[in-house]
Amino acid sequence: MKIWLQKLIDISALARSREMLKEALADLTRDFGFDYYAYLNVQPVGTSAFSNYPADWQERYFTNKLDKVDPIVAIAKSTMRTFVWSSENSTRRASKPIRRFYTDAADFGIRSGITIPVATAFGRVSMLTVASHKPSISLAREIDPVAAAMAVAQLHARIEQAEFNPTAESSVRMTLKQVQLLKWSAEGKSMRAMATIENMTYSNVNSHLNKARKALDAGTLPQATALATKLKLI
């Protein structure tokens, strides 16, 4: 595992393109005896992935917002430590949604794996998972959690700095009117000014902006405006 983690650091430093990194991660994952890799960047608005999981699974995962029920994400966020997991050992006392999650994932050959979470800027979390079709896995020795976190932090930095497009990501559903009002908010307009510009009542403006804020999982209108700008929705 120590050698594998060093190789992860090496390819993170050397990969100069999205395709180069994808190929290198796939090769490294196979060398480790696993089938798939999945780097997840968990954001307040949603989650994005850089992964070679089957395309149909990635589409299902993000279309149905499975990151909200994914037990691997939940464990990673709560423990912030490297851990081994398997559907075989995790479904006995699990809730129905989690059992369904493991069953669906198993249909795509995702049954066990190792997940390494790392803390990123502004209280967010990223994680790398290597997954296998095997019902369970066993390691000859324990994983050094510090070395693992350092290696995944290097991967996170490479993907962030190079701005590689994700292979899949959450989508935010908003109406055109919500987007228009957030744009006016970004321009510094008050809600009363927006009501005049858009020929709407103040209460309607407030209602649309509240729905937009909830869609973005934002606590305040300024936060919603900032998130919408970052996501290039406005």
Side-chain angles (χ1 to χ4, degrees):
M1 186 70 179
K2 182 178 180 181
I3 295 173
W4 189 86
L5 291 171
Q6 182 57 56
K7 287 183 178 180
L8 177 59
I9 292 173
D10 293 344
I11 66 173
S12 298
L14 293 173
R16 291 292 179 265
S17 70
R18 180 177 182 270
E19 293 308 312
M20 185 184 295
L21 183 59
K22 284 177 63 180
E23 182 179 355
L25 284 172
D27 289 343
L28 187 61
T29 299
R30 284 192 294 270
D31 289 345
F32 195 29
F34 289 80
D35 302 304
Y36 304 112
Y37 69 85
Y39 161 84
L40 294 184
N41 187 8
V42 182
Q43 298 281 342
V45 179
T47 301
S48 62
F50 193 86
S51 172
N52 70 341
Y53 278 155
D56 288 347
W57 171 245
Q58 293 193 57
E59 181 179 0
R60 179 184 296 191
Y61 188 95
F62 287 103
T63 299
N64 296 310
K65 300 185 183 300
L66 295 182
D67 54 314
K68 303 298 183 184
V69 298
D70 186 343
I72 309 307
V73 171
I75 295 169
K77 291 170 67 176
S78 65
T79 65
M80 292 305 296
R81 289 184 63 84
T82 300
F83 61 96
V84 176
W85 55 269
S86 73
S87 56
E88 184 177 66
N89 297 327
S90 303
T91 57
R92 294 169 186 169
R93 297 183 180 180
S95 64
K96 186 175 180 180
I98 290 177
R99 290 199 304 271
R100 178 62 183 271
F101 177 90
Y102 278 122
T103 299
D104 289 347
D107 288 341
F108 290 91
I110 304 165
R111 295 183 175 88
S112 60
I114 301 170
T115 297
I116 307 168
V118 293
T120 58
F122 303 107
R124 297 169 186 170
V125 178
S126 293
M127 62 195 74
L128 176 67
T129 293
V130 286
S132 172
H133 68 280
K134 299 175 183 177
S136 61
I137 57 174
S138 59
L139 299 176
R141 61 182 62 183
E142 291 187 4
I143 303 167
D144 182 339
V146 176
M150 287 178 61
V152 174
Q154 292 281 344
L155 175 64
H156 168 77
R158 165 53 62 190
I159 293 174
E160 286 284 291
Q161 291 169 5
E163 297 183 342
F164 291 146
N165 291 331
T167 56
E169 60 185 334
S170 301
S171 59
V172 178
R173 296 186 179 91
M174 289 196 297
T175 66
L176 177 59
K177 184 59 66 177
Q178 289 166 7
V179 171
Q180 286 177 324
L181 293 173
L182 282 175
K183 182 61 177 177
W184 284 123
S185 177
E187 296 293 328
K189 301 296 183 181
S190 68
M191 285 198 286
R192 294 199 180 280
M194 293 181 216
T196 300
I197 294 169
E198 294 293 333
N199 193 28
M200 298 170 62
T201 65
Y202 178 89
S203 62
N204 274 341
V205 170
N206 187 52
S207 176
H208 281 295
L209 287 175
N210 275 333
K211 290 177 182 177
R213 180 177 54 77
K214 290 177 181 177
L216 290 162
D217 196 22
T220 64
L221 178 57
Q223 184 186 14
T225 304
L227 287 169
T229 301
K230 181 178 180 181
L231 294 171
K232 298 180 181 179
L233 296 172
I234 59 176

